[in-house]
Amino acid sequence: MNLLSEYTLWRSLAQAIKVKIAAMNTVDIYQDLNEKQREAVMAPPLPLLVLAGAGSGKTRVLVHRIAYLLGEGGISPHSLLAVTFTNKAAAEMRNRLGQLLDFSVSALWVGTFHGLAHRLLRIHWREANLPESFQILDSDDQRRLVKRVIRDLQLDDTRWPAAQSQYFINGQKETGKRPGQVNDDGDPSKRQLVQIYSAYEATCQQRGVVDFAELLLRAFELLRDNATLLAHYQERFRHILVDEFQDTNTLQYDWLRLLAGNQGVLTVVGDDDQSIYGWRGGRADHLQRFLRDYPNASVVRLEQNYRSTATILAAANHLIRGNPDRMGKDLWTDLGSGDPIRLYVGYNEIDEANFVIDRIKNHVSEGLARQEMAVLYRSNAQSRVLEEALIASGIPYRVYGGLRFFERAEIKDALAYLRLIRHREDDASFERVVNVPTRGIGARTVDQVRQLAREQGISLWQAAASFVATDSGRAGKAMRVFLELVQGLAREVVERPLDEQVSLMLTRSGLTEFYAKDSSERGESRAENLEELINAVRAFRPESEELSPIDTFLAHAALEAGEAQGTAWEDCVQLMTLHAAKGLEFPIVFLTGLEEGLFPHQRALGGGEGLEEERRLAYVGITRAMRTLYLSYAEKRRLHGSETYGMASRFVGELPGELIEEIRPRIKVSRPLLAARPNVSRPNASTSTKFSGHWLGQRVQHAHFGAGVITAFEGDGPQSRVQVNFERAGSKWLVLSYARLEAASV
DNA sequence: TGTACCCAGGTTTTT
DNA sequence: CCTGGGTACA
């Protein structure tokens, strides 16, 4: 669709919307908003920052503001752009807009940063210096390509792991830097990374592929370097609304500023206290930067919380005050104070898990649905023990995360065939499926073809063709079979509907049979997934007429990886990481593994920034709970095969003590360690009889070194020594009779 | 071509 | 401890 005809379409749509909105009782849709929400919704068309606390009705405000702008504001839907981070959030916004406005919102520019960037690049592929049907690399594709590049540069790939280089490249792109703009500070390894970046970029350009970060960077450069286009879009998008603003990276921020120009009005909604994606470029300080860059901006704070009890909010507020440089915000509620926060100190991670199970059972017997309970943890590895305990007690559960549908190997294989059928020059896809299912094309053959391609500067496909022409041996024959397969498919597939194309490809390539033969559970699930792919294709409704259906589908697969779990919504206990829990809420929340080193994570200690983000993560976790919050940690935990003795997370100590009720109160009286003899079980030892570690794991207090934990024990009597891992001073051996250690509780 | 073993590495995740 | 990737061998 060209821009002019799109514009005409918009004018008629705008007309229709005005009629609709005028017909609505406008008082009606705003009367349920609280005062602050209304203030945000009805703010004049000037830069606006909505500081939206957890559970304060953020999406509601965003959606109502759009309605307000379209109605009272009298702006055209054509001039509106709404940006989110996830497809889920975009879909949600669409949905709620649809409910509120009662018209088809499918034509509105509501989407993710990446989706919108992609749309711009598809329209302006020429100006962006991309081939018309450029393909999108997902992270996995990108890592493979980086790895390929590293090998081609003859670098040792153990010294230069692809994942690290990938991280580096994305980091540079996220700050808007091309290889030439990266300062290597005279650091040789950084120089090497820049070289990898540079070679990777050249390969991408040559192959006509873009990774996620590249979508953003290209879209930014497209506008920056093209005055006409910039003027056009600045003229068009007068109202830009951004969700989860604290998660924007530098490039996204710059893109928004560029697009808004001097005329555009930005409404940004976010919460600096919930910025937990700093490690992937998100910047909590963009909220403050926004206020500096737009001095005429107003700020509305949404602090009334509709989710949690006063107790939970008090704990959250108190904890987050430990962070410096906040915008500042205190959540409050009309609801009562409710249950105290319950703390359980497990003897080990199994004990901790059993506690969780025990409580879940209690709540179930009280009549709560299992899906109303969530068990949160810092890292995925922690889920295993919990899962084992859940299985053992027969409680259905669901773990969030894991591989998404379009990320599964068998699906990616199928997509690679589709790409190859469409674009014979797609080297990555060629490499992926040339021998999948196995058809006698070994690594040696592929190497030869690759060599040929490099020497002559041609694609793998072309190189394979000339290889077939010269090699009459077994390898040549096998390769010929492959080439003919793809070519044959390409011929047969034209003019057929998309689902038939896919179905045909799956059979002819042998993928279906390959997985069907595998009777293992894994093979069965893969065969099912391929079946599901045909369904996905059948259900797919391409939105754009610009691209062929197949290209549209491929782009969709890359940009929207789909759900991880296909299973239906049984009544399951919800297990997920703290990150995955953001944006969700549950009546009952278990925050587990609250140990120093685990949460806050070891790798986040060191510098201050990392710790602040961990604290925000804890804040996010606490504010997920509506009614009851449980905190737990284990004194001893098996991690990476060895036992570790952790101390209570500092975050537990940072909560107001009066809000917390210890479920199994430990003895709080300090007593000299010498008074106790090894081998005597502690008076407050758990019911478990497995405890045999003398005083290992005992928390102690030292006059000089502060708090620590005993990690080793040596000798007997007054000469005996203990190794103590101090919170601040590190690990030390101390002679018990000299060091006046005191046993300490939490 | 498939599998048996060795080794490193093990925060968080969307697009 | 457990996983995934890579290499060595039958």
Side-chain angles (χ1 to χ4, degrees):
Chain A
M1 196 184 338
N2 68 39
L3 294 172
L4 195 69
S5 72
E6 196 192 352
Y7 183 68
T8 324
L9 188 126
W10 272 107
R11 274 182 35 192
S12 55
L13 183 60
Q15 215 47 47
I17 288 171
K18 273 190 190 146
V19 174
K20 278 270 200 270
I21 290 180
M24 281 190 302
N25 181 355
T26 47
V27 178
D28 223 8
I29 71 167
Y30 305 117
Q31 75 176 8
D32 287 344
L33 300 170
N34 70 35
E35 196 187 322
K36 288 289 172 185
Q37 290 174 336
R38 199 172 307 135
E39 187 184 334
V41 165
M42 302 190 170
L46 287 170
L48 171 68
L49 167 61
V50 181
L51 192 60
S56 65
K58 174 194 72 164
T59 309
R60 217 157 162 245
V61 164
L62 212 42
V63 168
H64 279 80
R65 174 139 180 94
I66 292 175
Y68 178 80
L69 289 171
L70 294 175
E72 277 81 347
I75 71 152
S76 153
H78 175 80
S79 62
L80 202 100
L81 180 71
V83 198
T84 63
F85 272 83
T86 65
N87 292 300
K88 202 172 146 197
E92 160 97 356
M93 198 186 292
R94 278 225 146 87
N95 223 332
R96 288 176 60 171
L97 267 177
Q99 281 169 18
L100 195 65
L101 295 180
D102 188 35
F103 76 92
S104 161
V105 286
S106 61
L108 280 174
W109 277 57
V110 176
T112 63
F113 276 102
H114 292 85
L116 296 168
H118 175 244
R119 195 162 170 185
L120 284 175
L121 295 176
R122 285 293 178 202
I123 299 173
H124 305 290
W125 54 273
R126 253 184 267 268
E127 293 91 333
N129 188 25
L130 286 169
E132 184 172 8
S133 58
F134 66 88
Q135 298 292 306
I136 302 167
L137 301 181
D138 69 16
S139 321
D140 189 58
D141 301 332
Q142 184 189 28
R143 206 189 57 249
R144 286 160 178 273
L145 187 51
V146 169
K147 184 168 215 158
R148 176 87 265 138
V149 166
I150 289 169
R151 288 197 173 162
D152 286 349
L153 286 172
Q154 320 262 312
L155 295 170
D156 175 1
D157 54 8
T158 53
R159 222 178 93 77
W160 303 99
Q164 253 171 49
S165 303
Q166 179 186 26
Y167 179 77
F168 175 83
I169 291 168
N170 290 338
Q172 296 309 322
K173 289 188 181 184
E174 275 158 14
T175 49
K177 289 199 180 98
R178 292 294 179 189
Q181 297 163 299
V182 184
N183 181 0
D184 64 23
D185 310 313
D187 174 356
S189 66
K190 196 168 175 192
R191 192 177 315 137
Q192 186 56 263
L193 285 170
V194 175
Q195 197 202 339
I196 293 168
Y197 178 13
S198 182
Y200 166 74
E201 190 184 48
T203 311
C204 287
Q205 184 63 31
Q206 181 225 322
R207 295 188 180 187
V209 294
V210 292
D211 57 55
F212 290 130
E214 186 72 25
L215 283 172
L216 300 176
L217 185 50
R218 287 272 175 149
F220 172 74
E221 290 171 344
L222 174 73
L223 297 182
R224 185 196 61 191
D225 302 337
N226 196 313
T228 323
L229 275 181
L230 179 61
H232 169 82
Y233 283 106
Q234 283 184 339
E235 187 60 33
R236 168 166 182 180
F237 293 121
R238 289 307 185 81
H239 289 272
I240 303 172
L241 296 97
V242 191
D243 191 19
E244 304 280 14
F245 193 64
Q246 76 284 349
D247 289 337
T248 49
N249 64 36
T250 314
L251 185 54
Q252 287 160 334
Y253 186 96
D254 290 343
W255 184 75
L256 289 169
R257 271 200 83 185
L258 184 65
L259 188 57
N262 294 322
Q263 304 290 317
V265 179
L266 276 164
T267 299
V268 302
V269 181
D271 180 358
D272 53 341
D273 293 334
Q274 292 190 70
S275 165
I276 55 172
Y277 287 110
W279 48 276
R280 66 179 200 213
R283 301 285 300 257
D285 58 10
H286 276 169
L287 274 75
Q288 315 223 22
R289 187 178 162 197
F290 180 79
L291 296 182
R292 283 199 305 277
D293 288 345
Y294 298 93
N296 60 339
S298 46
V299 181
V300 177
R301 283 182 163 74
L302 304 180
E303 296 173 286
Q304 181 172 7
N305 173 291
Y306 296 95
R307 177 185 294 157
S308 314
T309 64
T311 300
I312 289 164
L313 295 181
N317 285 332
H318 191 270
L319 175 89
I320 202 64
R321 268 184 229 126
N323 272 359
D325 306 322
R326 299 197 304 134
M327 293 283 298
K329 177 170 46 59
D330 263 312
L331 297 173
W332 60 275
T333 179
D334 271 345
L335 273 55
S337 46
D339 296 342
I341 293 167
R342 308 247 158 71
L343 171 69
Y344 180 80
V345 184
Y347 151 62
N348 61 17
E349 76 278 10
I350 297 167
D351 185 27
E352 184 192 28
N354 287 335
F355 161 73
V356 172
I357 303 295
D358 192 53
R359 286 289 148 160
I360 289 174
K361 282 183 179 162
N362 280 347
H363 286 299
V364 168
S365 69
E366 284 167 10
L368 253 98
R370 282 183 287 264
Q371 70 212 2
E372 292 179 300
M373 295 179 257
V375 187
L376 310 183
Y377 36 80
R378 176 67 238 263
S379 65
N380 287 305
Q382 288 166 251
S383 77
R384 232 191 58 216
V385 180
L386 293 162
E387 289 186 65
E388 281 166 6
L390 284 160
I391 290 169
S393 43
I395 300 173
Y397 67 93
R398 171 185 162 160
V399 185
Y400 274 65
L403 271 191
R404 324 268 299 276
F405 184 72
F406 286 113
E407 290 166 354
R408 289 164 197 273
E410 63 277 16
I411 299 299
K412 297 212 69 168
D413 290 342
L415 294 180
Y417 271 105
L418 291 180
R419 286 187 180 190
L420 206 54
I421 289 169
R422 178 88 180 95
H423 309 284
R424 238 46 60 78
E425 322 293 302
D426 186 336
D427 285 359
S429 297
F430 183 97
E431 284 204 49
R432 182 167 187 115
V433 294
V434 64
N435 199 32
V436 177
T438 45
R439 49 173 72 87
I441 301 170
R444 166 143 298 132
T445 312
V446 177
D447 264 343
Q448 274 175 272
V449 171
R450 200 181 289 124
Q451 179 89 26
L452 205 64
R454 194 167 12 189
E455 282 165 8
Q456 305 188 16
I458 53 177
S459 67
L460 290 177
W461 178 269
Q462 291 168 322
S466 65
F467 175 80
V468 166
T470 51
D471 186 302
S472 54
R474 197 197 302 220
K477 269 195 199 125
M479 187 61 88
R480 179 187 300 274
V481 170
F482 175 68
L483 297 186
E484 282 171 359
L485 165 72
V486 173
Q487 231 146 12
L489 275 170
R491 255 198 318 275
E492 281 186 78
V493 128
V494 273
E495 303 296 312
R496 277 176 197 259
L498 206 49
D499 57 327
E500 277 181 42
Q501 292 188 28
V502 174
S503 166
L504 199 67
M505 175 277 293
L506 288 176
T507 339
R508 289 290 158 78
S509 65
L511 275 180
T512 302
E513 198 196 345
F514 181 67
Y515 289 118
K517 268 197 314 207
D518 184 347
S519 61
S520 69
E521 202 175 316
R522 206 178 174 137
E524 269 176 35
S525 119
R526 292 189 154 164
E528 279 169 26
N529 285 333
L530 289 180
E531 203 49 46
E532 189 55 38
L533 178 66
I534 302 177
N535 290 333
V537 170
R538 205 169 285 148
F540 180 66
R541 297 274 163 276
E543 280 174 24
S544 131
E545 296 110 46
E546 309 253 319
L547 287 171
S548 69
I550 187 76
D551 280 331
T552 317
F553 182 75
L554 290 172
H556 164 81
L559 284 172
E560 198 161 344
E563 286 288 315
Q565 253 78 17
T567 46
W569 283 95
E570 264 179 89
D571 184 13
C572 289
V573 170
Q574 314 284 304
L575 263 65
M576 69 192 81
T577 62
L578 285 152
H579 282 90
K582 193 179 155 207
L584 306 177
E585 59 179 27
F586 306 92
I588 313 282
V589 167
F590 295 88
L591 225 54
T592 66
L594 288 163
E595 292 137 50
E596 284 293 301
L598 193 60
F599 185 31
H601 196 270
Q602 198 63 48
R603 293 171 72 157
L605 296 174
E609 299 260 309
L611 186 57
E612 286 155 29
E613 186 154 310
E614 296 288 301
R615 190 172 285 110
R616 292 192 290 264
L617 197 52
Y619 177 78
V620 166
I622 293 170
T623 52
R624 295 313 93 194
M626 299 163 79
R627 206 188 87 191
T628 309
L629 175 64
Y630 292 97
L631 309 176
S632 64
Y633 69 91
E635 297 180 320
K636 185 169 88 169
R637 183 179 295 271
R638 213 177 169 82
L639 205 62
H640 306 323
S642 55
E643 312 240 277
T644 54
Y645 292 88
M647 318 226 316
S649 167
R650 69 191 69 197
F651 300 144
V652 175
E654 289 177 16
L655 300 176
E658 67 272 19
L659 301 179
I660 297 179
E661 178 187 293
E662 263 200 69
I663 291 215
R664 191 182 55 198
R666 298 153 47 80
I667 290 182
K668 294 242 164 119
V669 191
S670 285
R671 70 206 135 70
L673 189 60
L674 274 180
R677 273 160 294 145
N679 274 332
V680 176
S681 65
R682 296 173 305 168
N684 61 336
S686 77
T687 47
S688 168
T689 53
K690 279 178 277 178
F691 190 81
S692 61
H694 300 265
W695 284 90
L696 288 182
Q698 172 72 42
R699 256 145 271 272
V700 293
Q701 188 72 30
H702 184 275
H704 186 60
F705 298 129
V709 116
I710 295 182
T711 55
F713 200 94
E714 183 180 282
D716 238 319
Q719 291 307 303
S720 65
R721 304 192 309 147
V722 287
Q723 189 182 40
V724 182
N725 193 9
F726 288 105
E727 202 172 333
R728 271 182 283 280
S731 190
K732 301 208 182 301
W733 278 100
L734 303 168
V735 176
L736 272 180
S737 46
Y738 297 127
R740 273 171 300 164
L741 286 175
E742 289 202 337
S745 55
V746 190

